[in-house]
Amino acid sequence: MPFKKSVKLGLNIDHVATLRQARGGREPDVIRAALEGIKGGADGITAHLREDRRHIQDRDVFELKRVISVPLNLEMSIEKEIVKIASKLAPAKACLVPERRQELTTEGGLDVISGKNKIKQSVARLQNQGVEVSLFIDPIPKQIEAASETNTDFIELHTGSYANSTGASRKRELDRLLRACQFAHSLGLRINAGHGLNYDNVKPIARLPYMVELNIGHSIISRSVFIGLRKAVEEMRDLIREV
Ligand code: PXP
């Protein structure tokens, strides 16, 4: 096992915007939420500008970039309009995700094998603006191989199947993620992970070799209803650092 440095926490604030959009007003304030999260120890802020703008809006991402002191990670599809906005915004990082309008959340990883050329073009366009790019993919060797052929800087491993499994199948999913980390590292890729991670299941993921950053949203925002956002972030940060 390599030397374990501390794993970073990217706080996904989409659901603060979900709540705001429910009434179409200004509350809760997404920027204030990001600043609270940073006070709680978030190493980065993640926001998904979806094509249907169901939560995060264009003005949010431009304001976030202006105001926050930590890297902004823009989750985005590779649709032309969104790539254009991302190129103008030039966030520190971008994570390319598949997007279907009917889905509740990002349901699977990108199919890099079949979309390689288009993805490669988006990666290059963003990197030209100084953006560090990541591809959200399932822990499947052929997808990892295809990702490395796009010249992406990072992959973000989809932890949804791990999070949704129990018992022996959770162990199998964890092994799959472990092998994915080893394989990606051997190809020179850097590795993040996310989706469905919570206070109970996060530690084994934070312990995976070569893990750089975990992007977590739903569980932290849910807990913040009861204990406040700063404290909810602190608790998660402590869990992933104490591995
Ligand atoms: N990473 C990616 C690429 C995602 O699409 C999402 C969901 O927006 C997350 C991480 C965070 O997932 P969750 O809200 O389940 O923590």
Side-chain angles (χ1 to χ4, degrees):
M1 282 286 202
F3 168 70
K4 192 77 206 174
K5 61 177 172 19
S6 82
V7 172
K8 291 182 183 158
L9 173 61
L11 171 66
N12 183 316
I13 54 164
D14 293 349
H15 292 315
V16 178
T18 303
L19 193 54
R20 179 192 62 191
Q21 295 308 108
R23 288 291 169 97
R26 306 182 72 84
E27 286 184 336
D29 182 349
V30 167
I31 307 298
R32 184 168 171 207
L35 296 175
E36 275 296 298
I38 294 165
K39 284 186 191 147
D43 301 290
I45 297 295
T46 295
H48 187 172
L49 185 67
R50 293 186 72 102
E51 290 161 28
D52 62 9
R53 307 299 198 275
R54 69 173 71 159
H55 39 53
I56 294 289
Q57 306 297 306
D58 300 41
R59 65 174 187 279
D60 294 326
V61 293
F62 283 92
E63 186 66 1
L64 281 168
K65 184 177 170 201
R66 199 178 66 76
V67 165
I68 62 176
S69 55
V70 298
L72 171 64
N73 175 33
L74 183 72
E75 281 179 12
M76 54 180 281
S77 75
I78 56 168
E79 270 314 298
K80 221 168 155 191
E81 182 224 356
I82 299 288
V83 175
K84 196 167 160 201
I85 294 168
S87 304
K88 184 168 167 219
L89 174 69
K93 308 172 188 188
C95 180
L96 307 186
V97 301
E99 213 174 285
R100 282 193 301 278
R101 292 196 179 221
Q102 295 77 13
E103 67 192 359
L104 287 177
T105 177
T106 317
E107 279 162 10
L110 271 178
D111 184 355
V112 193
I113 299 167
S114 59
K116 193 155 61 191
N117 287 341
K118 194 167 174 205
I119 292 170
K120 196 172 177 175
Q121 282 167 15
S122 303
V123 170
R125 181 154 178 205
L126 292 163
Q127 285 172 335
N128 280 339
Q129 300 299 321
V131 181
E132 206 166 54
V133 183
S134 179
L135 304 184
F136 186 52
I137 57 173
D138 293 310
I140 296 170
K142 286 208 174 315
Q143 293 291 354
I144 297 171
E145 212 167 356
S148 85
E149 288 162 11
T150 67
N151 301 323
T152 187
D153 304 287
F154 277 85
I155 54 168
E156 178 166 328
L157 289 172
H158 193 320
T159 50
S161 299
Y162 160 82
N164 290 331
S165 62
T166 52
S169 77
R170 174 163 289 189
K171 168 89 178 65
R172 270 197 303 280
E173 291 297 335
L174 190 59
D175 284 346
R176 210 153 76 94
L177 286 159
L178 170 63
R179 286 194 301 277
C181 288
Q182 288 163 334
F183 183 49
H185 177 76
S186 77
L187 297 176
L189 289 163
R190 285 178 285 160
I191 306 157
N192 299 327
H195 213 284
L197 296 177
N198 61 34
Y199 296 84
D200 296 322
N201 66 21
V202 76
K203 272 194 178 239
I205 300 300
R207 285 193 192 110
L208 287 170
Y210 314 113
M211 191 54 68
V212 176
E213 182 167 280
L214 303 180
N215 282 306
I216 307 179
H218 189 263
S219 67
I220 296 178
I221 303 301
S222 299
R223 187 150 174 73
S224 78
V225 171
F226 301 105
I227 65 167
L229 186 52
R230 200 185 304 188
K231 187 97 183 63
V233 172
E234 267 170 22
E235 287 185 3
M236 184 60 84
R237 183 208 53 192
D238 290 349
L239 278 176
I240 72 176
R241 287 197 182 156
E242 278 165 17
V243 287

